[in-house]
Amino acid sequence: MMNKALTEIADKIIQCQRIAITSHLRPDGDSICTSLALYHMGKSLGKHVEIINKDNTPSPFNLFPDSGCITIGSIPPDKFDLVILLECANISRSGQKHLGNYFKINIDHHHTNDFYADINWVEPEAPAVACMAYDLGKALNIIFTPGISNHLYCAIVSDTGSFQFSNTNTRAFEVSYHLTEKGADPLMISEFMFHNNSPEKIKLLGRVLSRLKTFYEGKIAVITMFKDDLIDLKLRKEIDSEYITTLARSIKDTQIVLFFKEMKKNTFRVSIRSRGNANSAQVAEHFGGGGHLHAAGFTVTGNYDNLIKDVPEKVASLLKKKLNNG
Ligand SMILES: [Mn+2]
């Protein structure tokens, strides 16, 4: 059975000719690949479609042959009939400033969403927004080309962490099953996603992990990246370093990773990743930051040698009970 919002969205897309697609600031694999899939779906219906994001496309998705279809910048105030926002809890999350007069469609799979658009379709149980786009494609009677199928499959792999995160459910496999039937190529996508690193990224990994310290019987792992690491390796400071965190978090018994990133002398942005009961948001809030249960961040200032001792000790005392209960 098709839900009401989905039917309304399909009808609206059919009626409109000029469609803009945008997603959130610092877009991720799910929002980028789903945007590209929707772009090709719209094109196959004869629509004028543009993807316009405020922030750059991150690696490796910027290596997609059609990542050039993505414009970085602002959606002008009067160029389109319809704007589709992917994974934006509210309009400001898109970074777009001129959406006031537009008919807006909000498609999201996160719990927190302000239902700000003319049509809101929010499904927290969807493993990726790509799975919702798949349903939309079916509602629009789209022919799922290998290109569209690969984009959607790539989005699912990205958002479920290769079918390892807690959002990996039956639907993730079900949609992936159908996408591979339509020509998505899992081997090609995994080569693309995971075997596309530059030597510099791997050298960075070595540097950062060589500074690993563990606290509280290994339940807390701390790693550090200095500005000079990026300068020496000629890497951009916006580099996505999640792959380093993932390795630190893979240490047996580690429940929380504190990743210190030097912003300027004596100022560090600390990103927190945790699992189980260890509450990242609680830690971040203590230090004046914020975030989610398993991903959060905050900024600290001070002498590095002191911070690297004091912050983990404070985290241990904050989470003592939770860390002991696994
Ligand atoms: Mn997503």
Side-chain angles (χ1 to χ4, degrees):
M1 199 190 73
M2 226 180 268
N3 76 54
K4 187 164 162 279
L6 173 54
T7 313
E8 286 174 9
I9 291 169
D11 289 347
K12 187 69 190 176
I13 288 173
I14 298 293
Q15 289 159 19
C16 292
Q17 188 53 33
R18 300 168 304 169
I19 301 170
I21 300 167
T22 190
S23 60
H24 47 86
L25 296 169
R26 296 174 52 110
D28 61 4
D30 189 20
S31 61
I32 292 288
C33 298
T34 302
S35 297
L36 288 167
L38 288 177
Y39 172 88
H40 290 295
M41 289 183 193
K43 287 277 183 187
S44 76
L45 294 168
K47 310 291 180 186
H48 174 86
V49 191
E50 292 184 38
I51 304 171
I52 304 177
N53 286 333
K54 194 73 192 165
D55 284 348
N56 284 326
T57 305
S59 166
F61 309 103
N62 58 343
L63 303 173
F64 267 135
D66 57 358
S67 67
C69 302
I70 302 172
T71 305
I72 308 302
S74 293
I75 298 177
D78 48 16
K79 188 177 175 187
F80 299 97
D81 306 321
L82 167 66
V83 175
I84 299 175
L85 296 101
L86 296 177
E87 308 197 288
C88 293
N90 43 53
I91 293 180
S92 64
R93 191 75 180 103
S94 72
Q96 297 293 339
K97 298 266 189 282
H98 312 294
L99 303 186
N101 293 328
Y102 278 124
F103 191 97
K104 290 178 279 298
I105 290 176
N106 159 23
I107 306 178
D108 191 11
H109 72 120
H110 295 96
H111 275 283
T112 41
N113 188 290
D114 292 350
F115 286 76
Y116 52 86
D118 298 284
I119 309 175
N120 300 285
W121 180 26
V122 179
E123 274 192 30
E125 65 284 0
V129 78
C131 292
M132 301 172 73
Y134 173 77
D135 290 345
L136 178 58
K138 286 213 306 190
L140 288 164
N141 285 317
I142 294 293
I143 295 168
F144 285 86
T145 61
I148 291 172
S149 303
N150 270 322
H151 282 311
L152 292 177
Y153 177 79
C154 191
I156 296 170
V157 170
S158 174
D159 236 29
T160 60
S162 302
F163 305 99
Q164 295 177 65
F165 297 159
S166 60
N167 57 337
T168 306
N169 56 17
T170 310
R171 191 158 164 208
F173 289 109
E174 185 190 16
V175 175
S176 299
Y177 164 79
H178 289 297
L179 292 170
T180 49
E181 267 198 331
K182 311 247 184 250
D185 183 342
L187 177 63
M188 187 187 80
I189 295 299
S190 72
E191 286 285 327
F192 174 80
M193 296 264 293
F194 308 113
H195 302 153
N196 237 335
N197 287 314
S198 65
E200 290 74 22
K201 267 186 86 173
I202 301 303
K203 286 181 185 169
L204 180 69
L205 178 77
R207 283 188 180 213
V208 172
L209 288 182
S210 73
R211 300 186 189 114
L212 173 74
K213 290 189 191 314
T214 59
F215 296 81
Y216 207 67
E217 295 155 6
K219 291 177 179 129
I220 302 171
V222 180
I223 49 178
T224 304
M225 181 167 78
F226 291 104
K227 267 175 72 180
D228 280 350
D229 294 329
L230 299 174
I231 294 166
D232 292 349
L233 295 167
K234 299 189 173 56
L235 288 164
R236 291 181 306 131
K237 70 175 192 301
E238 314 80 62
I239 187 172
D240 174 19
S241 48
E242 203 64 33
Y243 68 107
I244 307 177
T245 313
T246 302
L247 276 175
R249 195 163 52 168
S250 74
I251 300 166
K252 183 171 170 345
D253 295 332
T254 290
Q255 291 173 43
I256 189 158
V257 176
L258 305 172
F259 191 170
F260 282 67
K261 297 168 191 171
E262 185 189 35
M263 309 309 285
K264 58 182 188 199
K265 193 167 163 44
N266 292 335
T267 301
F268 292 85
R269 176 82 193 154
V270 183
S271 57
I272 316 169
R273 296 293 181 271
S274 61
R275 56 186 181 194
N277 294 327
N279 189 332
S280 295
Q282 186 193 342
V283 171
E285 279 158 23
H286 173 82
F287 289 100
H292 304 283
L293 174 63
H294 289 148
F298 62 93
T299 302
V300 281
T301 54
N303 172 277
Y304 173 68
D305 292 328
N306 295 337
L307 290 174
I308 204 80
K309 286 204 300 281
D310 297 348
V311 173
E313 269 170 29
K314 187 71 213 175
V315 172
S317 74
L318 283 169
L319 297 182
K320 209 165 188 149
K321 224 173 133 209
K322 288 170 178 167
L323 293 175
N324 287 335
N325 292 335

